[in-house]
Amino acid sequence: MTVLRGPALALVPFENPARLDVLRQAGPQACFAAEEFFSARIRNPHTRKAYAVPVRRFLQWLAAQDIPLVNATPGQAARFLDGYGGSVPTQKLALSALRHFFDLLVTRHAVALNPFQSVRPPRSESREGKTPEITVAQTRDLLASIDATSRAGVRDRAILGTLIYTGARAGAVAALRLQDLRDYGDHRTLLMHEKRGKQREIPVRIDLDAWIAAYLDAAELRGQPPDTPLFRVISPGSATGFGDAGVATWTLRTMLKRRLRGAGLPAFIRIHSFRAMVITDLLHQGVPMEDVQYLAGHSDPSTTQLYDRRSRSVSRNIVERISV
């Protein structure tokens, strides 16, 4: 039975003799499951890349200790994880990857049990995410610093406004097409295409609607094919000053860095900072968690809570009262 050809080898280097031997010794079902796992079960390329690291490290670990794949025990799995190193989130990702990998091996009858199933993850407690914070005042300063008389300024104001007033991720904003700007007569919406195929239709507030309209006029996009990119790259040589290609995620990051410098704001601010600001601001105003969760596109409210920075203001108020 010939397996391990095609996408899997490009993602997980089973061509390494030690790792490949561990799978071959486990039988054709193990080889089939390994290829299925990385070429069919995991469709997101970023997840594939992240999961490939712990899987190949564990196969190498088994080979170095001459342990057959079918004989791997929970105790050995725990010892491997103990020596994995890295941060707690990194170790949790490794455990998740290996649990899913062995689940498929069990399903394909390559091994009798999943040695990682009973391994407890490392403990960590985090009430807030690590996204750098940007305040409402800083956001206003950023928008006010943009010269909207230039083509780049008109576009960047519309992009930043979309990021701020929809709470969308950079990838979703970069992927917008003209058809995603929906006109209902008395208002317009933006159809966001998020991770894992999620879609959210977000109303466009009045000032953002005006900014997008100004950009559409400057780029001469009205009447263009509906499946063309909404936000275009700057192209000084073209008649409109904009190219046919849409912006990429890295384009938005570079643009934000440039705009932060122009506004005199901290360089550590990221596009994701707008999400934290939006979520914190809405929760502070008493907007229900489920509504904020929908706007953010989170499946679990605990994820939304990680972006809530209200406790930081309390902490700052407390330390300012220290008498020294």
Side-chain angles (χ1 to χ4, degrees):
M1 181 177 181
T2 302
V3 292
L4 289 178
R5 296 289 186 269
L9 283 179
L11 296 162
V12 182
F14 289 129
E15 67 274 11
N16 180 295
R19 297 168 188 147
L20 184 55
D21 286 345
V22 171
L23 287 168
R24 282 178 172 166
Q25 290 167 8
Q29 293 91 342
C31 296
F32 181 87
E35 184 175 30
E36 179 185 4
F37 183 70
F38 286 103
S39 62
R41 288 297 181 95
I42 303 177
R43 303 302 301 159
N44 187 296
H46 302 292
T47 306
R48 285 174 179 166
K49 184 177 180 180
Y51 276 23
V53 176
V55 169
R56 65 174 178 241
R57 282 185 60 177
F58 185 63
L59 293 178
Q60 185 69 44
W61 187 84
L62 290 176
Q65 302 194 53
D66 197 24
I67 300 173
L69 185 69
V70 296
N71 292 345
T73 66
Q76 292 165 345
R79 287 195 293 275
F80 168 77
L81 196 63
D82 289 341
Y84 194 82
S87 64
V88 170
T90 298
Q91 294 176 33
K92 285 186 173 182
L93 185 146
L95 179 58
S96 176
L98 288 162
R99 277 180 176 173
H100 283 85
F101 180 66
F102 271 91
D103 277 345
L104 188 55
L105 290 175
V106 172
T107 301
R108 296 300 176 217
H109 305 289
V111 299
L113 59 84
N114 184 341
F116 287 92
Q117 191 60 49
S118 58
V119 178
R120 297 187 64 179
R123 293 186 61 182
S124 66
E125 185 174 341
S126 177
R127 295 183 179 179
E128 295 180 355
K130 297 182 179 180
T131 303
E133 183 180 11
I134 183 173
T135 66
V136 171
Q138 287 174 324
T139 304
R140 289 171 179 162
D141 291 342
L142 176 63
L143 291 172
S145 69
I146 298 175
D147 177 12
T149 62
S150 67
R151 287 186 173 89
V154 171
R155 184 203 67 169
D156 294 355
R157 183 181 62 177
I159 291 176
L160 289 173
T162 302
L163 288 165
I164 294 165
Y165 294 132
T166 66
R169 298 176 177 86
V173 173
L176 285 171
R177 297 292 183 264
L178 282 176
Q179 62 194 9
D180 296 324
L181 181 62
R182 299 184 169 188
D183 193 341
Y184 288 93
D186 60 338
H187 73 284
R188 290 197 286 186
T189 66
L190 284 168
L191 181 63
M192 295 292 178
H193 303 271
E194 296 280 5
K195 297 189 299 184
R196 292 184 288 275
K198 296 178 184 177
Q199 292 186 355
R200 295 181 300 125
E201 193 167 3
I202 308 298
V204 179
R205 53 182 277 162
I206 295 175
D207 43 4
L208 175 58
D209 189 69
W211 296 347
I212 292 178
Y215 162 71
L216 292 174
D217 291 336
E220 299 180 10
L221 291 179
R222 299 185 189 277
Q224 294 293 315
D227 60 345
T228 57
L230 175 59
F231 294 120
R232 311 292 185 92
V233 296
I234 300 296
S235 178
S238 67
T240 62
F242 297 95
D244 295 329
V247 296
T249 303
W250 66 265
T251 311
L252 303 188
R253 296 193 184 106
T254 302
M255 179 270 290
L256 177 60
K257 290 180 181 179
R258 184 177 69 255
R259 293 300 177 183
L260 289 171
R261 287 195 300 268
L265 295 173
F268 59 76
I269 292 172
R270 300 289 182 266
I271 287 178
H272 234 54
S273 300
F274 297 126
R275 286 171 64 79
M277 182 273 296
V278 168
I279 290 171
T280 301
D281 180 54
L282 293 177
L283 291 175
H284 185 75
Q285 295 182 52
V287 177
M289 174 63 75
E290 56 269 24
D291 293 341
V292 179
Q293 178 187 341
Y294 176 80
L295 178 66
H298 293 149
S299 300
D300 194 316
S302 62
T303 305
T304 308
Q305 291 170 349
L306 290 174
Y307 290 84
D308 185 0
R309 298 295 190 267
R310 288 176 294 176
S311 62
R312 289 190 179 181
S313 62
V314 174
S315 299
R316 283 196 293 266
N317 290 337
I318 291 174
V319 298
E320 290 296 337
R321 296 174 62 180
I322 297 174
S323 300
V324 177

